[in-house]
Amino acid sequence: MLDQPQGVSIGELAARLRRRECSSRELTADYLARIERHDSALNSFITVTPEAALAAADAADQRLARGEGGPLTGIPIAHKDIFCTQGVRTSCASRMLDNFIAPYDATVVSRLNQAGAVSLGKTNMDEFAMGSSNETSWYGPVKNPWDTTRVPGGSSGGSAAAVAAGLCLAATGTDTGGSIRQPAAFCGITGIKPTYGRCSRWGMIAFASSLDQAGVLARSAADAAHVLQAMAGFDPNDSTCADEPVPDYATNLNDSPRGLRIGVPREFLSPELDSRIAAVIEQAIELLCQLGAERHDISLPNSALSVPAYYVVAPAECSSNLARFDGVRFGHRCADPIDLDDLYQRSRGEGFGTEVKRRIMIGTYVLSAGYYDAYYLKAQKIRRLIKEDFQRAFAEVDIILGPTAPTTAFALGAKTADPVAMYLNDIFTISTNLAGLPGMSVPVAPVAGLPVGLQLIGNYFAEARLLNVAHQLQQASDWHLARPTEQKLRS
Amino acid sequence: MQPSDVARIANLAKLAADASEIDQYASELTAILSMVEQMNALDTTAIEPLAHPLELTQRLRSDQITEPDQRKYFQQIAPMTEDGFYLVPRVIE
């Protein structure tokens, strides 16, 4: 049995499992006990599946006993409740899907199952992944394990809080405008959003289809590499999935950053940024330069327009995607509808929460007759300019670094009354989604006891480079090893 | 955005909303759209719109049946069915 499960990496645990020093059943039972003990303070899980987890652990132990299995066999993880899991409630944190038992597994879920990972359950999130604080969930907000009066970030806030609190070793997430990177930053863990199309979206409940991408929340770049390896790759069931070979992410982790050209956008490290956050970001960039990287100051001139363009494109796609929730085939249906229109209107009016309805209405408005050119087409043109900014930058540099978010985790309730203030918290992450580029967040030195994330942005399909640079930073520092204390979890 | 605009949009989006919700949405949607209108600061006349980040076109597959019939299984989670059909209120009297 492990006395300190928080301090152990996936690689070390996999080695112990292979040497039969511990069993996956013991490990899984240990994590289930941690969830039982701590999650009432955090609310990071919507559904815990102990029986299925222990059965998967037993199957993993049998594989390991035969000398089979890979780096994830027997490793306890969790899935964001946006991924369909056969026979298990998949709610997307919405009343609309509170009664929805998914009839099949998402491709990402089945690949991780095949790799032998043990799913402990489904993590809390913003409703339909719409939010930056995990406060829009039908199941209540998630609390930040570093300070339970603060938000964990969102929308993958349950996954981030669970990983940070040591309730699972890694978790899946999705990132449409920053939903992996921002909660990873707020919770002091490592998160990677791959290139658009790198992981299959099949069975991942759609929010904005040209932006959504699955990724990983973990405690280190090396751990994230193991999980992404199992998830990534072509899937004929997703017509937007990239048919590109997946490199072995472990191979290049130890490459030296000597000669690496780092681009620092002046729009990201501007004088308006909180000087304490700027200082710890600069400290991390300086560390990479000491390891041999070169710093280049660059510009992404249109990045300020990423939030306005995103709040046209994402709601437009969401209004279309969420049209399928009609109270007819699955999900919430209102009581005693008088006619078909009443059935649609009340099922949707009752099933969706306020933020989801806000976004459906924005999307419906910008796509409605007479407004399409002024909003939707305009936003798609800005989207091209943002992509071109990055393409120009990547002609000169190998990687772009800056802060993940303009603040540390804010207080629960601080931004719920002002949607625009909430949206602007994603100012540094959204442009990456509009361009379809891979992005990552890794912890740097804390500010006032709260985690801060360094964002790494790479060129298309450069996930191996991101993981390599993040790993090198983590080899040379110990910021990623900081953990919230159990005392904080109890408070 | 006026409450009457919100009522029209809510109807297009098939979302039931009462009067107080509509007033609330009117002020929030106005604030969001004024943030969105920062886009107008930039002249984009000559710019081609970008719909797909990698500018790929949709992949096609051959027109063959690949899925087995799982109607019974899928209808287990339906709110109301009869004889294999999904039930809704009467549409034609």
Side-chain angles (χ1 to χ4, degrees):
Chain A
M1 201 60 157
L2 300 152
D3 17 286
Q4 284 187 313
Q6 297 224 43
V8 182
S9 71
I10 288 178
E12 289 165 47
L13 272 177
R16 286 192 203 175
L17 286 167
R18 272 196 300 270
R19 291 195 300 264
R20 313 297 293 147
E21 289 171 15
C22 67
S23 68
S24 176
R25 174 170 264 270
E26 285 171 319
L27 193 60
T28 302
D30 191 31
Y31 275 88
L32 288 168
R34 289 182 64 82
I35 294 171
E36 180 78 35
R37 199 154 64 234
H38 298 300
D39 204 43
S40 57
L42 297 176
N43 198 28
S44 67
F45 278 82
I46 291 174
T47 306
V48 184
T49 53
E51 285 166 29
L54 291 170
D58 288 343
D61 282 328
Q62 285 166 20
R63 277 172 80 172
L64 289 159
R66 292 194 298 267
E68 298 167 5
L72 290 182
T73 307
I75 298 292
I77 63 160
H79 290 296
K80 185 177 183 178
D81 207 18
I82 199 169
F83 291 97
C84 284
T85 41
Q86 187 167 22
V88 175
R89 175 172 63 174
T90 299
S91 73
C92 229
S94 181
R95 183 186 181 194
M96 180 61 84
L97 292 177
D98 182 54
N99 62 1
F100 178 67
I101 309 292
Y104 65 98
D105 280 330
T107 300
V108 158
V109 170
S110 57
R111 286 193 177 168
L112 285 166
N113 286 345
Q114 280 158 22
V118 172
S119 172
L120 300 169
K122 310 291 293 289
T123 57
N124 205 342
M125 55 184 280
D126 278 299
E127 184 181 6
F128 283 102
M130 297 176 199
S132 309
S133 66
N134 217 125
E135 293 171 291
T136 72
S137 168
W138 167 250
Y139 303 94
V142 175
K143 317 287 172 55
N144 190 313
W146 293 87
D147 176 349
T148 51
T149 68
R150 291 174 188 271
V151 303
S155 67
S156 309
S159 290
V163 170
L167 308 187
C168 55
L169 277 147
T172 53
T174 59
D175 191 316
T176 305
S179 282
I180 288 173
R181 290 161 287 158
Q182 185 254 23
F186 279 13
C187 290
I189 59 166
T190 298
I192 181 163
K193 173 207 107 70
T195 307
Y196 178 79
R198 176 79 291 183
C199 295
S200 169
R201 293 188 296 111
W202 199 71
M204 186 175 112
I205 296 172
F207 157 18
S209 303
S210 80
L211 302 162
D212 295 344
Q213 180 56 205
V216 188
L217 297 107
R219 296 188 308 190
S220 66
D223 281 5
H226 285 304
V227 182
L228 185 61
Q229 194 76 54
M231 288 164 61
F234 179 64
D235 174 15
N237 285 334
D238 171 6
S239 65
T240 60
C241 196
D243 195 357
E244 295 274 333
V246 182
D248 182 352
Y249 294 127
T251 308
N252 299 100
L253 281 181
N254 291 314
D255 289 359
S256 158
R258 188 159 299 282
L260 179 82
R261 296 169 302 168
I262 294 173
V264 182
R266 68 174 68 103
E267 293 80 7
F268 284 21
L269 270 179
S270 71
E272 291 98 71
L273 181 69
D274 182 331
S275 60
R276 299 167 305 168
I277 291 182
V280 293
I281 296 295
E282 289 286 3
Q283 186 188 4
I285 295 171
E286 179 55 33
L287 178 56
L288 280 169
C289 291
Q290 284 167 16
L291 298 172
E294 306 159 7
R295 179 195 176 118
H296 297 253
D297 290 313
I298 61 163
S299 176
L300 299 170
N302 295 297
S303 53
L305 291 176
S306 61
V307 178
Y310 177 88
Y311 278 96
V312 173
V313 172
E317 295 185 13
C318 118
S319 70
S320 169
N321 272 325
L322 270 60
R324 75 190 61 176
F325 301 103
D326 57 6
V328 175
R329 290 153 302 144
F330 54 84
H332 177 75
R333 168 181 271 198
C334 67
D336 308 319
I338 52 167
D339 58 23
L340 191 58
D341 213 45
D342 184 46
L343 165 67
Y344 292 151
Q345 300 238 13
R346 280 199 293 128
S347 298
R348 291 165 60 77
E350 294 164 6
F352 294 135
T354 308
E355 178 62 22
V356 171
K357 285 191 270 196
R358 242 188 322 252
R359 295 201 194 189
I360 291 174
M361 281 197 269
I362 293 277
T364 306
Y365 181 74
V366 299
L367 291 176
S368 65
Y371 297 99
Y372 182 86
D373 285 7
Y375 291 108
Y376 190 64
L377 216 58
K378 180 88 185 178
Q380 288 197 322
K381 290 177 169 192
I382 305 266
R383 189 171 185 183
R384 179 172 302 280
L385 293 175
I386 286 166
K387 177 185 162 114
E388 288 174 352
D389 280 358
F390 280 114
Q391 283 176 313
R392 263 192 302 277
F394 282 120
E396 292 169 29
V397 300
D398 303 309
I399 195 167
I400 294 173
L401 300 185
T404 305
T407 62
T408 53
F410 44 88
L412 286 156
K415 292 180 200 261
T416 41
D418 184 353
V420 173
M422 187 73 90
Y423 297 169
L424 289 171
N425 201 261
D426 293 335
I427 178 75
F428 299 133
T429 47
I430 275 178
S431 53
T432 314
N433 298 81
L434 289 170
L437 293 164
M440 211 171 159
S441 181
V442 295
V444 293
V447 163
L450 292 170
V452 175
L454 169 75
Q455 183 175 207
L456 302 82
I457 302 171
N459 212 337
Y460 295 106
F461 300 103
E463 288 80 12
R465 165 90 75 180
L466 292 182
L467 292 162
N468 158 236
V469 175
H471 182 67
Q472 289 305 303
L473 195 64
Q474 293 179 341
Q475 292 299 103
S477 66
D478 58 4
W479 298 313
H480 67 295
L481 299 177
R483 298 281 159 246
T485 60
E486 302 222 348
Q487 221 158 15
K488 282 206 172 108
L489 295 182
R490 277 197 296 269
S491 65
Chain B
M1 196 181 254
Q2 298 302 313
S4 59
D5 299 319
V6 175
R8 184 178 65 87
I9 297 297
N11 182 51
L12 285 174
K14 296 286 170 241
L15 290 170
D18 62 31
S20 70
E21 282 178 283
I22 283 181
D23 286 348
Q24 175 80 19
Y25 283 128
S27 74
E28 288 167 353
L29 298 194
T30 301
I32 294 167
L33 288 173
S34 71
M35 182 270 286
V36 159
E37 279 158 13
Q38 290 170 22
M39 293 192 304
N40 296 332
L42 211 63
D43 177 14
T44 51
T45 322
I47 312 294
E48 275 292 300
L50 175 70
H52 185 290
L54 305 177
E55 299 191 71
L56 298 177
T57 48
Q58 202 82 331
R59 207 173 41 245
L60 300 175
R61 63 168 173 83
S62 57
D63 186 17
Q64 280 169 337
I65 298 169
T66 52
E67 290 290 315
D69 179 4
Q70 299 188 73
R71 182 166 69 176
K72 257 192 194 149
Y73 177 55
F74 291 152
Q75 288 195 337
Q76 285 172 5
I77 51 169
M80 214 181 269
T81 59
E82 193 178 290
D83 300 332
F85 294 102
Y86 293 96
L87 283 193
V88 295
R90 187 179 294 276
V91 177
I92 302 166
E93 292 298 332

